[in-house]
């Protein structure tokens, strides 16, 4: 409330042409902060989620959930607010996540970039056709990631492995995405409200 | 000054370049997998205290849960403990008798000095178990742990050390598809190979057809060069006829504190001086570290009777 009054007062002084240097500096700093938050927050949240899920909690499907949340974060922000997920931040975040991932090196990073590319490329079409199609495409990306993991592990072990982990990862990721979507929409609305203020 | 057209062109190239880099990371990870593992281990080592902090609420919760459960059935627990205590007192007496008898028999046999085994205990700082991998990272401090050493929890075998870092070691669990551990069946004394397959129950293979594993039979590690024998592993169970698996004694699904035997390597037999070898050595033995002369190299071509070991 106090913050709102301060901003209104600043706007009033701006209209009256009495804006002093201090107020101008405040506006500039605030604008910079909003920009930095917009550019960094989704990437930072993604890295923190991946890091927390790499701790040995002993939760069933923890590794699969780590992959699902990482790719889900990239998919949501690249699809709905690509400006909030800069490509450079995504790449750096992906490299950091690779350090805390149990998947074969590089696979998650590769599929993060693929998810970004697909979401960015089909953004206009997907926004017209609704949530179901974007959910299906996300499921296909998860399937691609799980299959790549499986193939690389088969090469490493030099023997056939069960396909059950692929099904499990796919089910977990596809099942958890609507919750992630709702959570990020809520976060996005709060962020935009705050920025408008 | 870059034109708008050039800038757009460059912006369009960023994603393909990054995808190309990611493929490079993937290939590098496959080619130099050991380096990638070392890098991840170093990251886990640095983040060890943070992981401990993250796990603190969970540990506290389990402690409270155990305390509450304990308070809940205190009377029943008390009577059970009294019974167990009586049994333990009985087994303690038995163990003392056996110990004395063992010492007496060893004295009769002029038994040599027994090898003392060092061990180091460490907290699990990261669970690397995933769909295709079963491994944990342990923080062992400044102790020098050898690759291949056995890791046990409070009850039984957990796995073997597969990678050694400066402060963190990686233990490949017995469930992992790459795990192969020679074991001995305790009832029959037969040997077998315990092979992980990424399920909670490793398979038993390569056992003698005359000494088949029995249902419920206890299994220990086989004593051989590079492996400590007699470490409790688990019990045999048949999932289907002809498919024996091992139900591990160790609580692999929830590992916290793991102990690693530091000296897993049994001493090699000493050179038997004075005995005649059946075949000449392919390479000459040099125990004194001196380079062999050409005359000594010629010894391998001499008749057997003139060959001496060492």
């Amino acid at each position: 409330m106090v913050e709102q009054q301060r901003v209104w007062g600043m706007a009033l002084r701006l209209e009256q042409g009495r804006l002093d240097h201090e107020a101008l500096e405040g506006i500039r700093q605030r604008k910079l902060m909003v920009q930095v938050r917009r550019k960094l927050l989704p990437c930072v949240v993604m890295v923190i989620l991946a890091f927390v899920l790499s701790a040995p909690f002993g939760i069933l499907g923890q590794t699969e959930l780590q992959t699902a949340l990482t790719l889900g974060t990239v998919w949501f922000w690249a699809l709905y607010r690509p400006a909030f997920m800069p490509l450079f931040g995504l790449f750096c975040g992906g490299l950091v996540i690779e350090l805390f991932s149990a998947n074969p090196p590089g696979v998650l990073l590769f599929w993060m970039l693929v998810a970004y590319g697909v979401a960015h490329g089909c953004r206009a079409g997907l926004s017209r056709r609704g949530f179901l199609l974007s959910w299906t495409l996300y499921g296909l990306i998860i399937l691609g990631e799980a299959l790549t993991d499986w193939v690389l592990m088969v090469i490493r072990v030099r023997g056939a492995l069960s396909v059950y982990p692929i099904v499990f990862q796919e089910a977990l990721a596809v099942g958890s995405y609507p919750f992630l979507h709702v959570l990020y929409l809520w976060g996005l609305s709060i962020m935009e409200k705050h920025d408008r203020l | 000054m870059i034109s708008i057209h050039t800038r757009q062109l460059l912006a369009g190239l960023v994603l393909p370049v990054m995808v190309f880099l990611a493929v490079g990371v993937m290939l590098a990870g496959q080619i130099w997998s050991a380096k990638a593992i070392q890098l991840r281990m170093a990251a886990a080592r640095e983040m060890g205290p943070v992981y401990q902090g993250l796990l603190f609420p969970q540990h506290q919760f389990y402690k409270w849960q155990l305390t509450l459960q304990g308070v809940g059935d205190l009377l029943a627990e008390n009577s059970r403990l009294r019974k167990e205590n009586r049994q333990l007192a009985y087994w303690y007496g038995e163990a003392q008798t056996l110990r004395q008898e063992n010492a007496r028999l060893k004295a009769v046999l002029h038994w040599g000095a027994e090898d003392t085994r060092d061990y180091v205990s460490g907290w699990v700082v990261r669970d690397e178990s995933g769909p295709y991998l079963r491994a944990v990272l342990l923080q062992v401090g400044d102790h020098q742990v050898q690759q291949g050493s056995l890791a046990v929890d409070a009850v039984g075998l957990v796995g073997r050390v597969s990678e050694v870092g400066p402060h963190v070691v990686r233990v490949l669990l017995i469930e992992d598809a790459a795990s192969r551990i020679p074991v001995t069946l305790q009832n029959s004394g037969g040997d077998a190979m315990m092979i992980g397959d990424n399920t909670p129950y490793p398979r038993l293979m390569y056992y003698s057809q005359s000494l088949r594993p029995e249902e419920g039979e206890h299994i220990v590690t086989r004593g051989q060069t590079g492996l400590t024998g007699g470490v409790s592993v688990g019990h045999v169970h048949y999932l289907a006829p002809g498919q024996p698996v091992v139900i591990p004694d160790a609580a692999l699904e929830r590992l916290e504190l793991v102990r690693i035997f530091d000296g897993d390597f049994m001493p090699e037999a000493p050179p038997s001086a004075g005995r005649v070898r059946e075949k000449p050595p392919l390479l000459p033995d040099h125990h004194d570290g001196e380079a062999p002369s050409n005359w000594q190299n010629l010894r391998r071509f001499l008749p057997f009777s003139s060959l001496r070991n060492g």
Side-chain angles (χ1 to χ4, degrees):
Chain A
M1 200 66 192
V2 176
E3 178 72 7
Q4 198 174 1
Q5 280 173 358
R6 201 172 69 83
V7 173
W8 278 113
M10 218 179 272
L12 195 68
R13 277 192 290 169
L14 183 69
E15 277 177 9
Q16 291 169 355
R18 291 191 289 110
L19 194 64
D20 53 2
H21 177 72
E22 188 195 340
L24 205 65
E25 185 65 22
I27 289 173
R28 206 168 60 81
Q29 279 180 2
R30 191 178 164 75
K31 205 173 167 185
L32 188 72
M33 220 167 72
V34 167
Q35 274 179 354
V36 168
R37 192 174 58 212
R38 281 186 168 197
K39 294 271 180 199
L40 285 183
L41 199 64
C43 289
V44 171
V45 167
M46 182 177 72
V47 172
I48 289 173
L49 276 177
F51 174 69
V52 169
L53 282 171
S54 70
F57 291 116
I59 304 167
L60 179 70
Q62 198 175 319
T63 317
E64 290 87 343
L65 199 63
Q66 188 191 35
T67 308
L69 291 187
T70 307
L71 285 176
T73 307
V74 174
W75 181 251
F76 177 87
W77 291 103
L79 196 60
Y80 295 101
R81 289 289 183 281
F84 286 21
M85 171 89 41
L87 196 50
F88 186 70
L90 170 76
F91 188 76
C92 293
L95 282 178
V96 175
I97 290 170
E98 279 295 335
L99 289 175
F100 303 108
S101 162
N103 294 329
V107 176
L108 190 55
L109 177 64
F110 173 76
W111 283 99
M112 279 163 76
L113 290 167
V114 170
Y116 181 89
V118 172
H120 211 257
C122 310
R123 203 172 154 235
L126 285 174
S127 61
R128 278 199 303 274
R129 294 189 187 173
F131 175 75
L132 267 180
L133 187 67
S134 76
W135 195 15
T136 312
L137 266 180
Y138 170 72
L140 286 176
I141 284 165
I142 289 288
L143 188 68
E145 200 275 343
L147 273 172
T148 316
D149 273 352
W150 188 82
V151 168
L152 289 178
M153 288 312 292
V154 163
I155 292 169
R156 185 184 284 184
V157 177
R158 293 191 186 89
L161 286 169
S162 162
V163 290
Y164 163 73
I166 299 177
V167 178
F168 181 65
Q169 185 158 343
E170 179 72 18
L172 192 73
V174 171
S176 64
Y177 181 70
F179 298 100
L180 196 71
H181 184 88
V182 171
L183 196 75
Y184 280 147
L185 275 183
W186 176 66
L188 185 63
S189 69
I190 289 178
M191 217 155 80
E192 287 188 334
K193 205 167 130 187
H194 197 258
D195 290 353
R196 267 202 304 275
L197 184 72
Chain B
M1 199 68 183
I2 306 169
S3 69
I4 294 172
H5 182 70
T6 316
R7 203 178 292 171
Q8 279 178 346
L9 196 71
L10 284 174
L13 277 176
V14 174
L15 184 63
V17 168
M18 282 184 177
V19 170
F20 188 71
L21 284 175
V23 172
V25 171
M26 211 166 10
L27 284 176
Q30 291 300 308
I31 296 165
W32 297 290
S33 57
K35 291 271 179 203
I37 289 165
Q38 289 285 338
L39 201 64
R40 283 180 171 175
M41 278 169 66
R45 187 186 65 222
E46 296 302 322
M47 292 296 155
V50 186
Y51 282 137
Q52 293 290 340
L54 283 173
L55 289 173
F56 180 74
Q58 195 190 25
H59 286 160
Q60 285 301 112
F61 178 75
Y62 278 120
K63 274 184 193 169
W64 290 338
Q65 198 183 16
L66 281 177
T67 312
L68 280 175
Q69 276 176 357
V71 169
D73 50 9
L74 208 59
L75 275 174
E77 185 77 356
N78 203 9
S79 91
R80 191 180 64 80
L81 283 174
R82 277 177 204 281
K83 265 185 201 167
E84 267 187 18
N85 204 17
R86 276 200 296 276
Q87 274 183 340
L88 281 175
Y90 167 74
W91 284 115
Y92 178 74
E94 286 283 311
Q96 286 291 336
T97 314
L98 287 173
R99 191 176 172 187
Q100 284 165 7
E101 189 183 349
N102 199 22
R104 194 164 48 79
L105 290 172
K106 278 181 179 174
V108 170
L109 289 169
H110 300 288
W111 194 269
E114 286 206 359
D115 188 20
T116 53
R117 220 159 275 298
D118 291 333
Y119 61 83
V120 53
S121 302
W123 289 104
V124 173
V125 288
R126 196 201 284 180
D127 187 354
E128 287 201 320
S129 297
Y132 311 109
L133 183 72
R134 300 282 193 275
V136 289
L137 295 187
L138 298 185
Q139 197 150 25
V140 291
D142 295 330
H143 290 270
Q144 293 296 316
V145 175
Q146 286 170 322
Q147 206 170 3
S149 299
L150 289 186
V152 296
D153 72 347
V155 189
L157 183 71
V158 166
R160 296 184 80 176
V161 174
S162 61
E163 312 283 339
V164 179
H167 296 283
V168 177
V169 295
R170 186 158 173 260
V171 175
L172 193 75
L173 301 183
I174 53 175
E175 306 169 325
D176 191 274
S179 169
R180 306 276 186 275
I181 293 179
V183 292
T184 300
L185 307 164
Q186 254 193 341
N187 288 3
S188 60
D191 292 329
M193 191 63 87
M194 183 173 68
I195 293 169
D197 57 355
N198 285 343
T199 67
Y201 308 119
R203 285 176 296 159
L204 267 185
M205 292 177 81
Y206 308 121
Y207 47 83
S208 164
Q209 291 304 307
S210 56
L211 299 169
R212 286 172 187 273
E214 295 165 15
E215 176 76 31
E217 189 173 2
H218 195 229
I219 284 177
V220 293
T221 53
R222 183 176 183 272
Q224 62 181 50
T225 307
L227 192 73
T228 307
V231 177
S232 177
V233 177
H235 293 84
V236 176
H237 176 62
Y238 277 86
L239 288 177
Q243 282 184 23
V245 295
V246 179
I247 298 176
D249 285 341
L252 295 174
E253 71 283 358
R254 182 157 184 76
L255 289 171
E256 285 183 0
L257 196 63
V258 172
R259 197 165 51 169
I260 294 173
F261 286 118
D262 216 359
D264 267 344
F265 299 94
M266 287 173 69
E268 293 283 346
S272 47
R275 293 198 182 160
V276 177
R277 273 185 180 155
E278 287 182 10
K279 288 180 182 175
L282 289 174
L283 289 169
D285 298 335
H286 311 295
H287 297 293
D288 51 359
E290 287 176 11
S293 70
N294 288 335
W295 288 108
Q296 279 174 327
N297 280 339
L298 284 174
R299 286 196 310 168
R300 74 180 71 174
F301 301 109
L302 295 174
F304 289 164
S305 57
S306 63
L307 277 171
R308 286 177 189 279
N309 197 352

